Every structure is written in C-alpha cells, then in structure tokens.
Amino acid sequence: MAIDWKKEAEARKDDFLKDLFMLLKIDSVRDDSKASNDAPVGPGPKEALEAFLALGEKDGFITKSTGNIAGHIEYGEGDETMGVLAHVDVVPPGNGWDTDPFEPVIKDGKIYARGSSDDKGPGMAAYYAIKMIKEMNLPISKRIRFIIGTDEESGWQCMDHYLSVEEEPDFGFSPDANFPIINGEKGNVSLYVNTKGTNKGGQNTLISFDAGLRENMVPRDAVAVFTSEEADVIEKAFYDYVESAPISGTVSIDGDQVTIEVVGKSAHGMEPRGGVNGGTYLATFLSNFSFGGDAQNYIQLIAEYIHEDSRANKLSLDFVDEVMGDLTMNAGVFTFTPEDGGMVALNFRYPRGMNVESMEIQLDSKLAEYGATISRGGVKEPHYVPADDPMVKTLLDVYAKHTGLEAHEQSIGGGTYGRLLKRGVAYGAMFPDSVDTMHQANEFMAVDDLMKAMAIYAEAIYELLK
Ligand code: ZN
Ligand code: ZN
C-alpha cells in the first residue's frame, strides 16, 4: 500500500505547530556569562534541549541527555544507526525586529521568530517525520537517533562532547540548510587580524570601534567613538557618505567627542553578499580622516583590504573549486580600544584545494605593513560526500518525487552538523524558492515549507531505515 506522506504530515500539523511554538519561545542564545557545569553554554540552550527531550519522552521514545549540552531521541533497532542532527541554540536576535523574536507569530503563512528557519523549525519537522514512522508502525531494520545540539552557532562544544561519549552514526543528515541536498561543505576558519592600540598624532583620537555580534554573521551595527578637532567637518561628510552608501547612520557630538553609529544589514556569514557590513562601511568612512598610530592602521587596513570584498581578491586569497565554489570572507567582529588594541575577526569558508597555512601566510604578508599580526581560531576542514553515495541518491530521489524539481548535488560555505559524519550531508529545509532569512532580523519560515519538508523527511528516513 502506498503511503500518502503529505496527508500523514498534514494530519499532524496542529500538534506540530504547538510543539514548535513551545520551542521557539525559549530564548536559547548561548550565554557564557550564565554558563555553569550544569549548563555549559548557558541556561537557554539547556532549557531548549530539555524541552525537546521531554517531548520525545512524552511521545514514547527513548531519550538521553549528554552533559546537558547535547542529547538524542532514539527509535528502532538494528546493526546500523542513522543520525538526524539538529540544533536548538540560536544566534542573538540583534536589532531591527518588527515582532518579539521569542514570541512566534504567523503572518501570511509564515512563522516569524528567531530559530524558525535555523534550526528549530526544520528540526521539529524532522522530529515529526520520525514520530510519523513510529506512529504508523512501519517496518524498519535500523536504529535512528535524532541528535540535538545546543552550541551549533558558536563552538560546536555540544557535538564534540556528544561524539566523545556516544557512537558516531553510520550515516545521516542535518536539516539545517537547503534542498535538494548539501553534500559538500567548505572548510571554515577564523583568522584574527590584531593591531596594537597606539593612537597619537592624528587630528582624531579613536576611543573605541565596535561592530558585529558573531564571526558567522555580517555585522549590521557599528559604532565608533573618538575625539576630534574637526567634528563639524566629519559630521557633514558623514551625511554625504550615507547618501551614497547602502547604510543609514547618525552622528552625535558632545564637546570634542564624536560618536558615529552605522546601520547596515546582517546576513549569514557564509555569503556576505547577502548583507551590508556596518563595520567596514564605518571604517571606510573614517579612513578619509587622520587618526594616529595603530588606530590609523586599523582603520586603513579595513578600508583597503576588507571592505566590500567577500572573495578576498584584494588580499589575493580568491580561490574557486569547480564543485564546491568560491572561497568567501566575512569580517564578523571588530573591536578597538587604546588599551586592548584592534581586532578584526575574518571568517573564511574555503573549498577543497585551499589550506589554512597558506591563507595565514598570505594575510600576514599583505597586512604586515600595518603592523598587524595574525592569529588563528579552530579549523573545520572541507567535507564532501560523493554524489554517487547510495544515501545521497535516496535523498535526491525522494526530494525529486515530492517536488517535481530537479535534484542535484550542491556545496555551501555554512558548516552544518552533516560534516560530523563521514557519510553526513545537510538536507533541507529551505526550498529553491524559499527566502533565506537565517541569522537576520525578522527571520521567518513558511508553514507550507515546513509541512512539505516533514513529508519529504518522513519518506526519506523510512527509505533509509528499511
Ligand atoms: Zn543552523
Ligand atoms: Zn545558524
């Protein structure tokens, strides 16, 4: 008997929305200031994990929390284990929301809330797919674990811990990107450009420069505070600059102290072209004026080498792989004070064929003239599962059957949990015509897309567990 997956999904829509709203209402931004042994990345992510596990238990699954930072919901038995890996932490909401980011509302068929598309909505759809298979009592020969992480948006501590105490699933996917599939993920590394904080000798003295909330987001807001001998000139020039740039902003003057605030547009750091970097626009404006010492260098290097150059051409780091695409660079966090000096976090997504050592050497050789030094964050190597892998084929077939659309392999710059498994990919939940609002203000996900995804997930998981 053929199963009508869409109908089965539709029958669960009300429950699905109720459970999803419950999860979206939890502010699960990582908060290190409230972290403890009991809640390693803060109370919000832990609360979201516990809420999801409680749901699994209520629905009759075996559940397990590992160190209050990750956990799983398990179903079925067999020699092989499939993993479905989702995360319940979210990036900070930032400014610019029309509604409360943690009070989900449905407008025009779309759920507006932080996490609606990244990744609570797709995660809940995948969970419901497993629940559907269980409720229909379908015959399966493998075990499945729905694995929940709470630190995906920052350091991936969750999965480091999980995989150190639990077995690695044999194959699986993460519902945290796009359909048809993401079987290639670029490497990911942050390289930090550091300068000292000297500041003497210019007509302006920089007190602070700040932009960006996370290395993996394009900064929307940027603020510079400085003392100036030419405040009026700068104020006028700034409003001229705003006229010709895709930003807004304000200048306030208090005696000889000037504060400039720039508002750009945030976006996911894996494709900086989707946003407008408030930090680089502000530095580029300031580079027209004279600052002293390292402050001048800091501003100048941003303007000359980082502004509006997501492919890092000016740093001579541009690189393309035929299957995996372009190297991209996002300047995600900026800080400068005279005491601590300057820092720009450059988050790179790089395809196979490029390596971190040569990127570091290249950055160093370009930026040494500004007295800058380079330091390195954690490295995730590029990941690729071949297009002829049987799991990849199954996932593509089910997608094509449900949508009538062409199914083809794809690579992205965003690291998803898919890369944690040797045979791991990302699969949905955005469709080719979905609007990508991940990490942005007014993040949303269409209810219909989630329902379609649920049906696809259910059939695909069933095919893979048979
Ligand atoms: Zn995500
Ligand atoms: Zn994300």
Side-chain angles (χ1 to χ4, degrees), residues 87 89 91 118-119 152-153 176 216 268 438-439:
H87 67 91
D89 58 313
V91 291
D118 181 17
D119 180 39
E152 198 274 345
E153 298 291 4
D176 193 18
N216 61 2
H268 200 300
M438 289 190 186
H439 295 206

Side-chain angles (χ1 to χ4, degrees), residues 365-425:
S365 78
K366 288 278 185 186
L367 300 180
E369 62 167 307
Y370 295 102
T373 57
I374 310 301
S375 54
R376 187 200 288 195
V379 177
K380 289 173 192 157
E381 299 290 344
H383 172 76
Y384 182 70
V385 182
D388 58 5
D389 179 283
M391 173 187 70
V392 172
K393 285 185 151 163
T394 299
L395 294 175
L396 289 176
D397 287 349
V398 172
Y399 168 81
K401 182 185 146 194
H402 278 249
T403 61
L405 298 170
E406 194 223 334
H408 53 84
E409 69 169 319
Q410 272 189 129
S411 291
I412 59 164
T416 74
Y417 285 159
R419 65 160 54 242
L420 292 168
L421 313 183
K422 201 164 162 290
R423 287 178 65 210
V425 299

Side-chain angles (χ1 to χ4, degrees), residues 12 23 35 96 112 142 174 178 184 256 288 292 338 347 358 381-382 404 413 417 447:
R12 290 163 175 82
L23 194 62
Y112 286 84
K142 294 169 194 139
S174 174
N178 328 58
D256 68 347
N288 297 309
N347 182 246
S358 40
E381 299 290 344
Y417 285 159
V447 176

Side-chain angles (χ1 to χ4, degrees), residues 207-212 221-225 278-279 282 298 333-337:
I207 298 170
S208 67
F209 186 102
D210 289 285
D221 299 289
V223 184
V225 182
L282 178 52
Y298 179 75
V333 179
F334 302 73
T335 57
F336 181 97
T337 62

